[in-house]
Amino acid sequence: MSAPTVYDVAARAQVSIATVSRVYRNPDTVRATTRERVLAVARELGYVPSGNARGLASRTTGVLGLCFPDYADPEVDNPGDGSDDAADDPEHMLYADEITRGMERAARRHGYALLIAASLEGGPESLVAKVAGRVDGFAVLARTVPTEDLEIIAHRLPIVMIAGPREIDHLDHLQVANDEGEYELTRHLIDDHGLTRLAFISGGEDSPDAAARFRGFQRALGDAGLPVPAEPATRGNFTQADGRAAAERLLDAGGAVPQALVCANDQMAVGALQTLERRGIRVPEDVAVVGFDGIPLGRVVRPSLTTVSQPMRRLGETAVDLLVERLRDPDRQPRSVMLPVNQTRRTSCGCP
């Protein structure tokens, strides 16, 4: 029987992987009742955090690391109602959870364990100090660690960058077809549904993925002969709360209501759906809503969410494959891999 993993603990305790990680690294940041529940499940399953039981004197650890930003949603972390269930929304951090699942699967296949670290308020320097000395190599999601710090670590550890542009040429790099995926989805709204007033709800200005998706949106409008906005209609930070607020701003701005809200990720799209429902605006009859990512939540909301599905688990698996390749052949040329995306058409855009 295989050893229990962080994903097993998260599933049994009904929390996110990020919450399990915080329980072991920064227990004071987790509500006491949640912390106790996670620890009780860990004891029941016999779970030991990857890397904690290994000596670090040897040159190799048999551990690979994953570093990702802690996209905290204030509404999730501090729901204000005393509900642990609200604080541990199963969709919270789902993008990173899916990548982690893929990395864990591939790490097992290659005989490695996986160490997970989310960047908290201690800053990237603290994150790097905790992880770099305990792993043989690690994958880093965009916006997690400053480029200058990665340059230093890359002299002694293999690093794979996930998402965003390729900022360091000598590192392996993974991304998905953000621009092309958003272009094709926007053209679907224009060509197949006849929509001409489209508003883009972007992520933060520092998000390279959101910027690439907006470029695809702009290109689609331009190719269709429609006015091309220089900036997104509004921005959020990829949470459902931001999606709700963004939709509120657009509806309250005056003028013609957009015929479609094109959201930079699924969680903001779900938030936008909630605002539209509360305002009595029908989707898709009055306003179409689409997202990007392909998280499971998009299947169960009503109306079900049209989106661009990206291969999140495959991102994790490919990151491990690249790390193992580099560990076996340190002198090989760095690789940049672009993974394809595909449209998932559901009822929120007007498809059957």
Side-chain angles (χ1 to χ4, degrees):
M1 182 176 179
S2 60
T5 68
V6 66
Y7 207 92
D8 297 326
V9 175
R12 179 76 66 87
Q14 296 184 320
V15 299
S16 69
I17 289 175
T19 298
V20 176
S21 180
R22 286 197 291 266
V23 165
Y24 283 97
R25 294 181 301 101
N26 299 90
D28 292 340
T29 66
V30 181
R31 184 179 283 104
T33 53
T34 301
R35 185 171 64 244
E36 291 166 6
R37 184 166 81 248
V38 169
L39 291 173
V41 168
R43 287 192 295 270
E44 178 185 344
L45 295 177
Y47 169 73
V48 177
S50 300
N52 284 0
R54 293 181 179 268
L56 300 179
S58 62
R59 179 172 292 273
T60 62
T61 65
V63 179
L64 301 177
L66 169 63
C67 301
F68 56 80
D70 188 16
Y71 295 114
D73 184 341
E75 192 172 79
V76 172
D77 286 348
N78 302 288
D81 62 0
S83 168
D84 288 320
D85 291 337
D88 295 314
D89 180 350
E91 304 308 326
H92 182 48
M93 291 300 300
L94 188 57
Y95 171 75
D97 281 352
E98 289 294 300
I99 290 177
T100 300
R101 184 190 284 256
M103 283 195 69
E104 183 178 65
R105 177 187 299 168
R108 284 187 188 180
R109 186 172 67 246
H110 289 292
Y112 284 87
L114 185 64
L115 176 66
I116 304 160
S119 61
L120 299 169
E121 293 183 359
E125 296 80 7
S126 171
L127 178 68
V128 170
K130 288 179 179 179
V131 174
R134 304 172 63 190
V135 298
D136 295 335
F138 63 96
V140 182
L141 267 70
R143 296 196 300 157
T144 307
V145 179
T147 302
E148 54 270 24
D149 292 331
L150 288 175
E151 288 274 18
I152 295 171
I153 303 165
H155 288 301
R156 57 191 179 89
L157 282 178
I159 297 174
V160 173
M161 296 298 301
I162 300 178
R166 191 178 192 183
E167 296 178 345
I168 305 177
D169 290 340
H170 57 84
L171 297 185
D172 291 320
H173 176 250
L174 271 173
Q175 62 179 321
V176 301
N178 289 295
D179 183 310
E180 188 64 25
E182 199 69 87
Y183 174 87
E184 294 293 341
L185 182 58
T186 303
R187 287 306 301 256
H188 168 63
L189 296 175
I190 297 169
D191 297 342
D192 299 333
H193 294 289
L195 306 181
T196 57
R197 295 194 312 276
L198 287 72
F200 190 83
I201 299 177
S202 183
E205 292 187 27
D206 62 341
S207 169
D209 284 347
R213 292 165 194 174
F214 182 57
R215 289 194 297 272
F217 174 80
Q218 290 175 304
R219 188 160 57 89
L221 293 180
D223 287 355
L226 297 173
V228 179
E231 296 290 335
T234 187
R235 295 181 183 273
N237 196 33
F238 295 118
T239 67
Q240 291 183 38
D242 286 322
R244 286 195 296 272
E248 293 279 2
R249 288 193 296 272
L250 290 176
L251 294 175
D252 293 340
V257 174
Q259 294 174 315
L261 302 183
V262 180
C263 302
N265 81 329
D266 287 348
Q267 285 183 260
M268 289 197 298
V270 171
L273 287 173
Q274 293 166 350
T275 289
L276 293 170
E277 181 181 24
R278 189 171 64 251
R279 293 285 194 100
I281 297 173
R282 299 172 302 164
V283 177
E285 292 85 356
D286 301 325
V287 179
V289 177
V290 297
F292 200 112
D293 278 343
I295 63 174
L297 181 61
R299 296 195 302 265
V300 298
V301 295
R302 289 293 178 267
S304 56
L305 184 64
T306 292
T307 187
V308 176
S309 296
Q310 61 167 311
M312 293 173 283
R313 293 190 195 177
R314 188 176 165 199
L315 276 170
E317 292 178 352
T318 306
V320 169
D321 291 342
L322 289 173
L323 285 173
V324 172
E325 284 180 18
R326 176 68 65 182
L327 287 165
R328 293 173 178 170
D329 182 9
D331 297 324
R332 75 156 170 78
Q333 290 295 310
R335 295 175 56 194
S336 184
V337 179
M338 173 82 76
L339 297 181
V341 297
N342 59 79
Q343 291 185 44
T344 301
R345 299 177 182 178
R346 301 190 180 110
T347 53
S348 71
C349 71
C351 285

